[in-house]
Amino acid sequence: MLTDLPDFALLQSEFQGDLVLPSDEGYEKSLKRWASTAQKKAGLVAFVKVEEDIIAILRFVRKNSLDLAVKCGGHSVSGASSSEGGVVIDLSRYFKTVTVDEKARVAHVGGGATWRDVDLATFPHGLASVAGTVSHTGVGGLILGGGYGYLAGEHGLVIDNLVGARVISADGEMHNCSEEENQDLFWAIRGGGGNFGIVTSFSLTIHPQIPQVFIADLHFPGEKVEEFSVAVKQWLELSTKKEMLFVFLEDRGTGPVRHVPGPLSLSIE
Ligand SMILES: Cc1cc2nc3c(=O)[nH]c(=O)nc-3n(C[C@H](O)[C@H](O)[C@H](O)COP(=O)(O)OP(=O)(O)OC[C@H]3O[C@@H](n4cnc5c(N)ncnc54)[C@H](O)[C@@H]3O)c2cc1C
């Protein structure tokens, strides 16, 4: 039991967020991940509220040589944000504040937010971030892995729009990083995943965005793949940076072609 370990009582007394143990109500819910295969039975789930909570957990984990995982949106399919028997620092409950500096066109995004939180904050200003293609992924894993979204054709990957971050390293030290400060850490977090520290805040460049966009979902059977490739090549030559195309290849076996509801759903037989 982690509760029997040295310093657990100290951790409990100073922790400002919520500590969830296997015997607590809400424990099973705290283990939920986008992929059920990524769920593991943590010994302790720490919903951190302030940066000091993260530093306290890191001290406890170091002292007792425990396994540690960090969770934002929980969309890792490998289980990287889960721990079997160890400690999970979960940022998704309290580190989800987004503030918009309209003049500087920068959004300061909590390390536990989802892209929905970002969209809801930037949209009223007529601004948008590159973001991901769905609203329920976490900003944490997506940004640290590079990140592509519908605006990537025009503005690059999400990390191309990252202008700064606050990172707590494993020794419990806080670092601000950007092109001006701690440049090596700033380089590492832009694509290096969650290996270099716990990011409590990301600062992202945001861009003017009209409120209406056109989106179409087109489905083609496998035998159309050559024709489709030619059409895509022609489209690429004519398209502007404001347009984006995602191609998904799915093996549907001999089953029927799926029609996804949406503004336009077309199946060419
Ligand atoms: C349905 C779905 C749609 C997707 N769509 C896109 C897409 O459009 N574009 C795209 O680029 N990717 C997409 N992905 C991939 C997605 O970006 C990755 O799975 C990403 O890791 C998810 O981030 P998360 O915060 O939700 O996951 P989590 O499981 O919470 O975290 C993933 C990893 O990041 C680490 N991490 C998370 N937050 C922090 C933090 N604040 N500080 C330090 N480490 C942290 C975790 O420890 C873990 O190692 C999609 C995935 C799914 C399942």
Side-chain angles (χ1 to χ4, degrees):
M1 287 281 283
L2 295 191
T3 46
D4 298 331
L5 292 173
D7 283 1
F8 185 77
L10 173 68
L11 174 69
Q12 247 182 338
S13 69
E14 62 186 12
F15 198 79
Q16 296 181 48
D18 313 317
L19 292 174
V20 180
L21 291 160
S23 54
D24 289 335
E25 199 185 325
Y27 171 74
E28 290 299 330
K29 197 174 167 205
S30 75
L31 305 180
K32 287 260 181 293
R33 298 293 184 269
W34 184 81
S36 56
T37 48
Q39 284 168 205
K40 298 177 192 169
K41 297 266 179 200
L44 173 68
V45 180
F47 288 97
V48 289
K49 196 169 194 173
V50 290
E51 287 173 342
E52 288 75 14
D53 283 349
I54 297 174
I55 294 165
I57 289 285
L58 288 172
R59 197 178 54 226
F60 176 70
V61 163
R62 276 198 315 273
K63 174 149 191 158
N64 295 294
S65 303
L66 297 170
D67 182 52
L68 175 72
V70 179
K71 183 200 160 240
C72 174
H75 275 49
S76 158
V77 288
S78 69
S81 58
S82 308
S83 170
E84 194 65 54
V87 178
V88 174
I89 290 181
D90 194 323
L91 296 151
S92 68
R93 189 171 287 176
Y94 298 112
F95 276 83
K96 53 194 302 177
T97 306
V98 181
T99 54
V100 175
D101 183 338
E102 192 174 334
K103 204 161 161 228
R105 288 195 183 155
V106 170
H108 303 284
V109 180
T114 61
W115 290 107
R116 181 173 193 274
D117 299 318
V118 180
D119 289 344
L120 288 175
T122 58
F123 189 73
H125 300 274
L127 296 165
S129 66
V130 169
T133 57
V134 293
S135 59
H136 45 86
T137 38
V139 300
L142 189 139
I143 297 177
L144 296 168
Y148 64 87
Y150 294 115
L151 302 184
E154 192 172 9
H155 304 298
L157 293 174
V158 182
I159 47 171
D160 296 323
N161 293 274
L162 186 68
V163 291
R166 273 173 79 77
V167 184
I168 301 178
S169 48
D171 57 5
E173 290 295 314
M174 167 59 73
H175 313 269
N176 287 311
C177 65
S178 65
E179 288 292 3
E180 287 77 43
E181 233 181 323
N182 294 310
Q183 292 94 338
D184 53 349
L185 180 60
F186 189 54
W187 175 84
I189 63 165
R190 284 175 293 167
N195 298 305
F196 296 93
I198 301 169
V199 183
T200 59
S201 172
F202 297 95
S203 297
L204 293 166
T205 299
I206 44 181
H207 307 276
Q209 176 63 44
I210 52 168
Q212 278 182 319
V213 293
F214 174 78
I215 184 164
D217 192 359
L218 307 173
H219 296 243
F220 302 96
E223 61 268 24
K224 293 275 179 190
V225 72
E226 277 191 44
E227 233 177 290
F228 176 73
S229 307
V230 173
V232 167
K233 190 167 176 290
Q234 285 168 352
W235 177 84
L236 281 172
E237 282 158 9
L238 295 172
S239 64
T240 68
K241 284 185 169 185
K242 288 196 180 296
E243 291 154 58
M244 188 81 178
L245 175 74
F246 286 99
V247 179
F248 295 93
L249 296 178
E250 287 181 300
D251 182 358
R252 301 232 142 239
T254 53
V257 174
R258 183 181 53 139
H259 291 257
V260 178
L264 173 64
S265 186
L266 183 68
S267 176
I268 297 179
E269 299 296 341

